[in-house]
Amino acid sequence: MATSLLALIDDIASILDDVALLSKVAAKKTAGVLGDDLALNAQQVSGVKAERELPVVWAVAKGSFINKAILVPAALAISAFAPWGVTPLLMVGGAFLCYEGFEKLAHKFLHSKAEQAAGHEALVSALADPSVDLRDVEKTKIKGAIRTDFILSAEIVAITLGTVQGSPFSTQLVVLSGIAVAMTAGVYGIVAGIVKLDDGGLYLSQRPGASAWSRFQRSLGRGILRAAPWLMKFLSVAGTVAMFLVGGGILTHGFTPLHHWVDMGTQWASDVNGAGGLLGAVAPLALDAMVGVAAGALVLLAVAIAQRMKPGR
């Protein structure tokens, strides 16, 4: 009995150790999606009244939990009954990440600042119109955010599934469920903080009093108000870069010729006299990003051609 109990405890400890290790690896791999996830979801509440920002974030978070509740069992079923489908799913997810990143770049550089400003002005004017039902605007934003979350959640679950593929079912269940819950709680907790950052800065900047503490609070508030727009820009840029890195990395690891090409490039960079250590560390990231940009351009071109070939266009 004692031996059996010890064996059971050892098995449990081993599973927990595997779970901890795989969760850490999966979290690192899926972290690349989070920068864009944060930026996208924080932008979804633009145009929503300040007192409705947190309820909107909570509504999207609930939708995200529902998305994960659908995706995690589906991923486990694929792993159990069609494990051969994991790699193709990862490749599709990687290609979509690259496409999404390149689409953002194309939108940024193919539309002038005047066009972007005109679109923003149209949104502000529509929201200022008393005939516009803001509840409908809010519901539309929530639905759009949940659809976006479903795509990003599918990418996270697919990447995590690729990490735990070949592990026991119990380990897969715990890691997938843990990553799903942690990512959702973490992302929307941070999003809630981001969307209220300007409110906090405004509150601090208007604190009364002539004491050193009051002056410090006002200075801190003004600093937060100046930093908030730059934080959003940073998240957007970092998210786009991460999409190319993660998406390109998935494609290079899933396509053997590309993987060999990255290995050769990394080896060549490592052999450079004097800077081999630094170049060897940077080369795989740079090459993954190059693959990601190229793949995103190709997928965007294919999508554009397919749209033009639609009947009625």
Side-chain angles (χ1 to χ4, degrees):
M1 178 68 74
T3 304
S4 300
L5 179 59
L6 288 173
L8 176 60
I9 293 173
D10 182 65
D11 288 343
I12 293 173
S14 177
I15 289 173
L16 292 176
D17 185 59
D18 290 344
V19 167
L21 177 61
L22 291 170
S23 295
K24 184 183 292 186
V25 173
K28 286 182 179 179
K29 289 187 175 182
T30 57
V33 187
L34 297 186
D36 195 67
D37 204 354
L38 289 171
L40 284 172
N41 284 291
Q43 290 167 358
Q44 290 291 345
V45 298
S46 62
V48 176
K49 289 184 177 180
E51 64 270 18
R52 292 296 302 160
E53 287 175 343
L54 291 182
V56 167
V57 172
W58 173 236
V60 179
K62 289 189 291 185
S64 179
F65 276 115
I66 294 173
N67 288 341
K68 304 286 197 312
I70 296 170
L71 290 167
V72 169
L76 291 170
I78 291 172
S79 179
F81 301 109
W84 50 266
V86 174
T87 297
L89 280 175
L90 281 172
M91 298 288 281
V92 170
F96 181 83
L97 274 175
C98 299
Y99 160 74
E100 197 174 40
F102 198 86
E103 186 182 38
K104 289 177 67 175
L105 289 181
H107 180 78
K108 175 72 175 178
F109 292 108
L110 295 181
H111 293 79
S112 67
K113 291 185 177 181
E115 290 177 307
Q116 295 177 28
H120 178 72
E121 187 65 30
L123 174 62
V124 172
S125 299
L127 292 172
D129 187 349
S131 64
V132 175
D133 189 345
L134 294 182
R135 289 176 299 180
D136 290 340
V137 174
E138 186 176 299
K139 289 178 181 177
T140 301
K141 285 181 171 291
I142 290 171
K143 290 179 181 178
I146 292 174
R147 283 195 298 268
T148 300
D149 176 271
F150 187 88
I151 296 170
L152 294 171
S153 295
E155 293 164 359
I156 289 171
V157 170
I159 293 170
T160 305
L161 181 61
T163 302
V164 299
Q165 187 182 18
S167 300
F169 177 81
S170 57
T171 302
Q172 293 184 18
L173 174 62
V174 174
V175 172
L176 279 168
S177 301
I179 289 292
V181 172
M183 292 297 181
T184 304
V187 165
Y188 290 99
I190 296 173
V191 167
I194 290 173
V195 301
K196 301 306 291 184
L197 194 62
D198 53 350
D199 291 342
L202 181 62
Y203 172 78
L204 290 173
S205 67
Q206 295 175 342
R207 294 291 291 168
S211 66
W213 175 243
S214 297
R215 292 196 299 272
F216 171 75
Q217 286 181 307
R218 288 194 293 271
S219 297
L220 178 60
R222 290 191 293 269
I224 291 174
L225 288 174
R226 285 193 294 268
W230 289 101
L231 174 62
M232 289 298 299
K233 289 180 181 179
F234 170 77
L235 285 173
S236 181
V237 171
T240 302
V241 172
M243 294 173 89
F244 289 130
L245 288 173
V246 176
I250 291 172
L251 294 176
T252 56
H253 281 84
F255 190 55
T256 302
L258 283 177
H259 186 60
H260 289 327
W261 176 71
V262 171
D263 284 344
M264 290 173 58
T266 302
Q267 185 60 51
W268 177 85
S270 300
D271 292 338
V272 175
N273 291 329
L278 177 61
L279 292 176
V282 173
L285 297 176
L287 294 172
D288 284 347
M290 289 172 58
V291 171
V293 172
L298 289 173
V299 176
L300 182 61
L301 178 62
V303 170
I305 292 173
Q307 288 176 339
R308 289 184 176 277
M309 293 178 63
K310 279 184 178 179
R313 288 188 65 88

